Amino acid sequence: MKKISLIGAGQIGGTLAHLIALKKLANVVLFDVSEGLAKGKALDIAQSSAVEGFNVNIKGTSNYEDTKDSDVIIITAGVPRKPGMSRDDLLAINLKIIKQVSDGIKTTSPKAFVICITNPLDVIVSALQKYTNFKHNKVVGMAGILDTSRFIFFLSEHLGVETSKIKSFVLGGHGDSMVAMLNHTYIDGKPISELVKNGKLKKDKLDFIINRTKNGGAEIVKFLEKGSAFYAPASSGVEMADSYLNNRKKQLPCAAFLNGEYGVKSLYVGVPVIIGSNGVEKVIEIDLSPTEKENFNKSIDSVKKLYEAAIKIDPTLK
Ligand code: A3D
């Protein structure tokens, strides 16, 4: 059995542990600074094994030694948003937490595939790679799968078409500047532009759905009042771990390190990548329309700006 360590046993961490157990993907170590939280959730999930019929080991801990030699590490340690807050408002506090996590994992699991979920995603995943000095292809951020899944769900709900029959993806930073790739969106095999042209999907409704996707996280934060989304983020993280552990070589939109692709150098940002047993095996460069390119560049600029803010907080990130 492979080993997945979850750093952060909060809402997403606990859901990740549950999903990994149900899917029998790997043994799980659930780590949190709050030891009781990690131990309590691990025990609770383990006690469902007889009902659910899984045979994976689940351990709660606040000791990094227990995460030693993990195959995959998924990081959700940090603070989530409160209503009215943007993801960027979390920068200073989550940067400090990610430094502690990096110190905890870099000597214990130097070969792990590390998936970061902590916000603000693109900048936190960059910081994580700098702090650990792990290879770029082994450190990746989860956001694009979630944003894409939200977009597909809203389209499906409006058009009455099953989600499995909609293909699309969302690129760019995980924030208000994310870009829905309309030229790569197909509804039941037809380009979305065709549905707009023949009036099946009104242009203003499509704009509304794109906007709702951008604000998909905030909509849930407002409903919950305490904390942010966790079911769909956990599902998205598990899909990445599964593609790595089982060498599925799936094409997934993730925050990956760009080294010249899309004309961007030395920055983590959301793009389609292939995830297999070598981690991020390839960044897929797709053709962007002039508008998509313009929006993508805007998104890159906002990620760059936030990274500069991170350097002000911790100059070692330069
Ligand atoms: P929450 O339920 O608060 O869990 C976070 C956990 O981290 C808590 O149990 C804390 O005790 C723990 N923690 C804090 N400091 C440390 C530390 N130094 N080491 C280990 N554990 C620590 O939050 P959540 O699970 O709802 O969300 C976690 C993060 O994911 C937040 O930053 C969210 O903003 C982010 N998030 C990202 C997405 C993306 O799509 C990228 C979506 C939803 C949430």
Side-chain angles (χ1 to χ4, degrees):
M1 219 13 141
K2 300 282 184 183
K3 174 171 175 179
I4 301 183
S5 290
L6 306 171
I7 313 298
Q11 297 284 63
I12 304 178
T15 312
L16 281 166
H18 197 199
L19 283 177
I20 293 164
L22 291 176
K23 289 173 185 262
K24 307 177 181 103
L25 190 58
N27 288 328
V28 177
V29 175
L30 195 50
F31 175 101
D32 204 289
V33 281
S34 162
E35 189 180 12
L37 184 74
K39 289 199 155 151
K41 286 194 178 182
L43 190 57
D44 189 13
I45 295 169
Q47 287 170 0
S48 73
S49 60
V51 183
E52 298 289 354
F54 61 76
N55 190 23
V56 306
N57 208 334
I58 305 179
K59 182 187 173 89
T61 186
S62 59
N63 182 350
Y64 275 106
E65 272 306 304
D66 292 322
T67 69
K68 202 171 165 38
D69 296 330
S70 298
D71 297 286
V72 173
I73 294 182
I74 309 182
I75 300 170
T76 61
V79 172
R81 284 192 276 175
K82 293 194 178 72
M85 276 176 104
S86 83
R87 295 176 179 92
D88 299 0
D89 295 335
L90 303 171
L91 180 64
I93 178 150
N94 283 351
L95 209 48
K96 223 183 249 173
I97 291 173
I98 226 62
K99 172 85 173 75
Q100 287 169 10
V101 173
S102 304
D103 290 343
I105 64 171
K106 72 180 172 196
T107 48
T108 40
S109 293
K111 292 193 177 136
F113 180 57
V114 185
I115 301 167
C116 180
I117 301 187
T118 303
N119 271 321
L121 195 267
D122 307 273
V123 172
I124 292 292
V125 71
S126 296
L128 174 71
Q129 190 283 323
K130 285 250 167 154
Y131 288 145
T132 55
N133 205 21
F134 287 175
K135 286 186 182 155
H136 289 111
N137 63 316
K138 288 298 209 63
V139 178
V140 66
M142 187 294 294
I145 301 176
L146 172 66
D147 296 332
T148 303
S149 185
R150 284 179 173 152
F151 185 49
I152 289 177
F153 169 71
F154 293 143
L155 285 171
S156 148
E157 193 184 41
H158 177 65
L159 296 167
V161 175
E162 275 174 43
T163 50
S164 63
K165 291 188 174 156
I166 303 179
K167 302 281 167 250
S168 184
F169 60 91
V170 173
L171 290 194
H174 181 55
D176 304 341
S177 58
M178 64 182 81
V179 190
M181 304 305 289
L182 297 181
N183 286 347
H184 299 266
T185 302
Y186 296 87
I187 317 285
D188 216 357
K190 291 193 191 86
I192 196 167
S193 55
E194 219 173 88
L195 278 81
V196 175
K197 220 181 269 168
N198 65 26
K200 287 213 172 104
L201 174 60
K202 299 261 180 294
K203 172 78 175 62
D204 57 350
K205 188 67 200 181
L206 175 60
D207 290 343
F208 173 80
I209 287 175
I210 292 172
N211 222 21
R212 193 172 174 200
T213 304
K214 288 183 183 177
N215 296 308
E219 185 178 357
I220 291 175
V221 168
K222 204 168 162 210
F223 275 127
L224 293 180
E225 291 179 4
K226 270 191 219 149
S228 55
F230 53 100
Y231 292 113
S235 295
S236 309
V238 170
E239 185 169 38
M240 292 164 73
D242 172 62
S243 194
Y244 172 75
L245 288 175
N246 294 309
N247 195 21
R248 296 201 198 279
K249 301 197 186 295
K250 276 195 186 169
Q251 181 177 316
L252 302 166
C254 301
F257 185 75
L258 298 187
N259 196 14
E261 298 90 347
Y262 292 94
V264 179
K265 234 176 148 49
S266 298
L267 197 70
Y268 271 87
V269 77
V271 289
V273 298
I274 301 292
I275 295 185
S277 54
N278 290 316
V280 173
E281 298 189 348
K282 195 175 174 11
V283 171
I284 308 290
E285 286 195 79
I286 52 152
D287 289 335
L288 303 180
S289 72
T291 320
E292 284 168 346
K293 180 88 194 143
E294 194 189 323
N295 290 336
F296 184 68
N297 287 341
K298 269 189 209 153
S299 189
I300 303 280
D301 285 345
S302 57
V303 175
K304 276 187 185 157
K305 235 184 238 156
L306 195 63
Y307 196 74
E308 278 158 23
I311 293 173
K312 279 203 184 121
I313 296 168
D314 180 358
T316 67
L317 288 171
K318 205 157 187 165

